[in-house]
Amino acid sequence: MALRLPGLDRLRDRYDVVIIGGGPAAFSAAIYARRFGMVTAVVADRIGGMLNEAGVVDDYLGLPDTPASKMVKLFYSHAKKYGVDVILDTVTRFRREGDHYVVETRRRRRTLARALIVAIGTRRRRLGVPGEDRFVGRGVSYCAVCDAPLYRGAEAVAVVGGGDSALEAALILSEYAKKVYLIHRRSEFRAQPYYIKQVRERPNVELVLNSVVVEIRGDDRVRSVVVRDVRSGELREIPVRGVFVEIGFEPFREWAVENGLEVDEEGFIKVNEWMETNLPGVFAAGDCTTMWKGFRQIVTAAAMGAVAAYSAYNYVVKVFGSTLEQR
Ligand code: NAP
């Protein structure tokens, strides 16, 4: 669930840097940008981004066993301490005008930025099978952390996928449902061994390997999932009350391309090691970029954000001589 945080600001007429997005990459960039003396805004449709959908974080240095919701609050209050303007809105487009970027939002706000940091994250990938769209919110879910409590005492639920998200979801759901079917299209998991070991030790998690979901069935809500064994072709209908689709994320390709950003074949924004994009003064950070694809962590997002802020600062000083605050 997205946090509702008070104290959101008005957009000023002009910024050194506008950061688009509200996840760990964006907030890390914001803190560094302020430390470099840049007048900074974060514009995001939700504070915390995809971190809102994580459970307990136990792999971020110095913060063991920390609920993700607490981390989101810590990131936000850290940025506020540094005087970052945080605006809840969606940037629809930006375009170059002279040596600035004009930034426009869904709520018809407009501001000028000397530099931009794009940290827009990704969205959840869908299965694309019959029944998926029909039962969204009625048994089909994309967020185990948000919806697992709805399945307390349920006879069975299914999780689809073989990465960190799917195995984490299976572990969370095994605390609520009597049985969890973990359906994966291969026999090997891509998830970290840490998760694989725990899943294998959970007595109420049944692995359904080498299997793909071909249909989600139900009446007013989900009643079963139909899977096909990819080796034998055999079909099996498994009665479940919920199907959690955890098969990864995809980038906002259209948004990036419409705003003139160069993307790779999957739609991730191309960056170099200094988080520079193809556009002058536009940097990118976090899951939306081509950097470290396949290893998306809070710490890697935060690292990219810090580097993007450093690069944005060097750019602002080179082009404008000083930051707005230093004038
Ligand atoms: P992911 O690593 O891309 O894994 C997606 C999984 O879904 C893969 O096992 C893939 O199968 C399967 N899949 C993809 N498309 C499918 C389809 N159409 N039908 C059936 N299965 C499909 O995605 P993720 O698990 O969401 O993780 C995303 C990133 O976030 C990763 O970098 C991950 O490390 C990170 N993450 C980290 C943590 C953590 O560290 N605590 C927690 C969650 C996520 P194949 O294996 O056959 O390709």
Side-chain angles (χ1 to χ4, degrees):
M1 197 185 300
L3 280 184
R4 304 209 184 286
L5 295 162
L8 299 162
D9 303 283
R10 205 175 59 81
L11 209 51
R12 303 174 202 213
D13 294 337
R14 190 178 298 261
Y15 286 93
D16 283 307
V17 63
V18 170
I19 298 163
I20 307 170
F27 275 96
S28 172
I31 288 159
Y32 276 88
R34 287 296 300 136
R35 288 175 66 88
F36 288 122
M38 292 198 281
V39 178
T40 303
V42 165
V43 184
D45 48 12
R46 64 173 178 166
I47 311 294
M50 211 62 100
L51 188 53
N52 288 295
E53 295 171 19
V56 173
V57 177
D58 197 25
D59 53 10
Y60 196 85
L61 187 69
L63 292 176
D65 289 320
T66 308
S69 57
K70 184 175 171 194
M71 270 188 111
V72 173
K73 282 188 195 145
L74 288 171
F75 291 170
Y76 175 79
S77 52
H78 198 170
K80 292 305 294 179
K81 185 198 108 174
Y82 271 107
V84 176
D85 288 354
V86 181
I87 289 100
L88 267 191
D89 203 341
T90 305
V91 171
T92 45
R93 62 184 297 240
F94 62 81
R95 66 190 146 75
R96 191 133 176 118
E97 222 175 74
D99 51 8
H100 281 72
Y101 282 95
V102 179
V103 179
E104 291 170 358
T105 75
R106 183 162 294 152
R107 294 190 180 172
R108 296 175 187 276
R109 292 175 169 120
R110 186 178 180 280
T111 189
L112 292 180
R114 292 167 150 194
L116 294 174
I117 296 175
V118 177
I120 55 174
T122 50
R123 62 183 159 213
R124 287 177 178 276
R125 191 176 286 140
R126 291 189 161 225
L127 270 175
V129 298
E132 183 180 20
D133 289 347
R134 183 176 155 210
F135 292 115
V136 169
R138 291 185 295 144
V140 170
S141 170
Y142 300 85
C143 180
V145 173
C146 323
D147 295 340
L150 303 174
Y151 294 87
R152 192 185 298 279
E155 285 304 318
V157 297
V159 175
V160 190
D164 288 337
S165 299
L167 273 75
E168 195 179 17
L171 290 170
I172 293 169
L173 283 155
S174 69
E175 307 272 345
Y176 294 91
K178 291 182 189 158
K179 174 133 196 166
V180 178
Y181 293 96
L182 178 56
I183 303 166
H184 179 39
R185 63 185 178 186
R186 293 187 296 130
S187 56
E188 303 291 326
F189 289 114
R190 151 190 309 267
Q192 298 170 31
Y194 173 82
Y195 287 126
I196 299 173
K197 183 170 180 288
Q198 286 191 70
V199 159
R200 289 196 189 280
E201 285 168 359
R202 250 341 120 89
N204 62 338
V205 177
E206 181 177 326
L207 305 183
V208 184
L209 301 177
N210 299 305
S211 298
V212 291
V213 171
V214 292
E215 189 181 350
I216 298 166
R217 290 184 181 162
D219 36 44
D220 57 328
R221 58 163 301 112
V222 167
R223 300 286 167 197
S224 68
V225 67
V226 182
V227 298
R228 190 183 71 238
D229 187 305
V230 292
R231 293 161 308 179
S232 65
E234 215 172 278
L235 292 176
R236 173 182 173 195
E237 184 167 2
I238 307 172
V240 290
R241 268 195 56 198
V243 179
F244 286 78
V245 180
E246 299 281 357
I247 59 168
F249 299 86
E250 57 186 22
F252 295 100
R253 175 200 284 274
E254 314 76 39
W255 188 94
V257 171
E258 278 166 18
N259 283 298
L261 289 161
E262 217 174 280
V263 297
D264 72 1
E265 63 292 347
E266 290 178 272
F268 291 96
I269 299 166
K270 284 190 185 173
V271 287
N272 63 13
E273 76 271 30
W274 292 106
M275 311 318 289
E276 292 169 310
T277 69
N278 59 307
L279 300 175
V282 181
F283 306 86
D287 290 2
C288 63
T289 72
T290 48
M291 184 70 75
W292 302 326
K293 271 203 294 187
F295 190 56
R296 302 306 200 189
Q297 302 289 309
I298 305 167
V299 71
T300 54
M304 287 188 244
V307 173
Y310 175 70
S311 296
Y313 171 68
N314 286 333
Y315 171 84
V316 164
V317 169
K318 191 169 138 209
V319 173
F320 298 92
S322 65
T323 68
L324 288 167
E325 204 171 67
Q326 290 162 346
R327 268 194 318 194

